[in-house]
Amino acid sequence: MEGDAADWRPTAGPIALQRRAAMLARLRAFFGEREVLEVETPLLSAETTLDPHLEPLSSRVDAPGIDGRRMYLQTSPELAMKRLLAAGSGSIYQVCKAFRGGERGRWHNPEFTILEWYRVGWDVHRLMREVAALIETLLAGSRRLEPATYVGYADLMRRHAGIDPHEASIRALRRAVADGPSPIDTSGLDRDDLLSRLFGERVEPRFAPDRVTVVFDYPDSQAAMAQLNASDPRTAERFEAYVGDIELANGYGELRDPTEQRQRLEHDLASRRRTGRPLPPVPSRFLAALESGLPPCAGVALGFDRLLGLELGAGGIDEVISFPIERG
């Protein structure tokens, strides 16, 4: 027999399994009270993200009519859920598994549980408040949180890293990283890599462990699928939510322009090509849905395992999932 015979045992104990079920019930009650529809979309699809920072897992699938087609386990249900929105679903949510290659660590496992939801007719600030309310509701049985705080990305970087993320030169960013607690070789890092390093080292450790901190107005270069702010196009309608230094959620005022979205996808594909990464096809069904008309909406993805870990006071993801990748 290969490996340790004890590897058959789950890493999450009975209490964690019970608390997971209870949190899922509270989550569904939260959305039920707000009349948000629960949906399911395929985890295995011919289309997937082109984000150069995410690595989708894939396999060739043999089935009548698609023999030998390469299909992808989804990094999130975003593309398919937006197709539902374009088809008139109204506000929707989904709890499902997501898969990301190359991710393993204290709070990372290649397979994990994600909560994603979209609010039709809402702006990003209204969704931020709902994200904070959901987190506070689901953690209410285990800890008392102070009222959420909302703060701009640039304000945090100026205050704690001493740089203006919109104006600082690459040279200044490299110097700031070199002066940090864990100096590294920055020669291969681009502007966003450097900003992310500074944010992780200088800003995230400052977040209070007893409240939800929502960071908004990320730089336009980090917009992903968010639209840019009309009042300041240097920033995107993107936010992230934390409790302490644990990132829980990433949300957008959703980009609806199919031309702009195609340009961003092609840029991501070019980035993957330059770095020798796999090249999934451009998601044509998703773009066709945008062409048909995505309603004004805001959406967010939340790491359910991390939220459960906070409720349990866990030291990492292995304590709240039955079988991490090494025991799958």
Side-chain angles (χ1 to χ4, degrees):
M1 180 182 295
E2 294 184 2
D4 187 339
D7 283 354
W8 71 266
R9 297 182 182 278
T11 53
I15 291 177
L17 300 181
Q18 293 163 11
R19 298 282 279 276
R20 174 180 287 270
M23 181 175 279
L24 283 169
R26 296 198 303 277
L27 180 158
R28 288 188 164 96
F30 180 93
F31 287 114
E33 291 169 0
R34 290 159 176 77
E35 298 183 341
V36 181
L37 179 68
E38 183 173 8
V39 297
E40 291 184 346
T41 57
L43 297 183
L44 186 65
S45 175
E47 299 187 349
T48 190
T49 181
L50 301 181
D51 189 329
H53 299 102
L54 298 177
E55 200 56 64
L57 301 176
S58 68
S59 177
R60 291 198 176 275
V61 177
D62 291 324
I66 60 166
D67 285 353
R69 176 183 294 180
R70 181 161 296 281
M71 301 189 77
Y72 299 87
L73 288 169
Q74 296 307 292
T75 59
S76 92
E78 179 173 9
L79 301 186
M81 291 183 76
K82 286 180 177 176
R83 288 165 61 185
L84 291 181
L85 291 166
S89 66
S91 296
I92 53 177
Y93 80 98
Q94 181 169 188
V95 185
C96 65
K97 292 292 187 180
F99 304 84
R100 297 178 183 180
E103 296 195 3
R104 185 68 175 111
R106 181 186 173 204
W107 289 108
H108 291 88
N109 189 63
E111 178 184 354
F112 61 98
T113 300
I114 194 170
L115 162 65
E116 189 148 336
W117 77 98
Y118 293 86
R119 285 297 212 156
V120 173
W122 283 28
D123 66 22
V124 71
H125 293 280
R126 188 175 179 186
L127 182 60
M128 288 182 210
R129 295 192 293 273
E130 185 168 65
V131 169
L134 174 77
I135 294 170
E136 290 164 355
T137 297
L138 296 189
L139 293 181
S142 62
R143 59 172 68 193
R144 179 183 179 276
L145 295 178
E146 297 297 323
T149 185
Y150 303 83
V151 59
Y153 177 95
D155 291 340
L156 287 168
M157 291 290 270
R158 294 187 193 103
R159 189 186 317 163
H160 300 304
I163 60 103
D164 185 322
H166 305 307
E167 303 296 335
S169 67
I170 285 284
R171 184 177 179 181
L173 293 175
R174 294 189 193 283
R175 187 166 55 248
V177 170
D179 291 340
S182 304
I184 60 169
D185 179 9
T186 62
S187 59
L189 302 183
D190 64 18
R191 183 179 189 84
D192 285 322
D193 292 332
L194 295 165
L195 288 172
S196 295
R197 179 84 181 187
L198 287 170
F199 195 85
E201 285 189 345
R202 311 286 184 87
V203 178
E204 288 178 355
R206 309 270 188 159
F207 294 153
D210 61 348
R211 72 173 70 239
V212 179
T213 300
V214 181
V215 183
F216 60 90
D217 286 355
Y218 278 70
D220 61 342
S221 58
Q222 299 178 30
M225 290 189 174
Q227 62 186 2
L228 301 185
N229 276 302
S231 59
D232 185 358
R234 299 177 306 169
T235 65
E237 291 188 9
R238 177 185 169 194
F239 69 91
E240 292 190 354
Y242 293 78
V243 172
D245 62 354
I246 298 178
E247 178 199 340
L248 292 173
N250 181 25
Y252 309 141
E254 300 295 344
L255 178 63
R256 298 164 53 227
D257 182 343
T259 301
E260 172 66 19
Q261 184 63 81
R262 182 179 289 277
Q263 290 172 351
R264 292 191 195 181
L265 291 170
E266 290 174 349
H267 179 271
D268 287 345
L269 196 61
S271 178
R272 296 182 72 87
R273 187 178 291 110
R274 283 195 305 272
T275 55
R277 309 277 290 283
L279 302 176
V282 173
S284 58
R285 290 190 179 99
F286 164 64
L287 288 172
L290 291 191
E291 291 282 359
S292 75
L294 183 70
C297 59
V300 61
L302 182 146
F304 182 81
D305 304 308
R306 294 185 180 189
L307 190 61
L308 179 61
L310 282 172
E311 182 184 40
L312 291 169
I317 194 171
D318 288 14
E319 296 178 37
V320 299
I321 60 176
S322 299
F323 301 106
I325 189 66
E326 295 83 2
R327 299 195 185 190

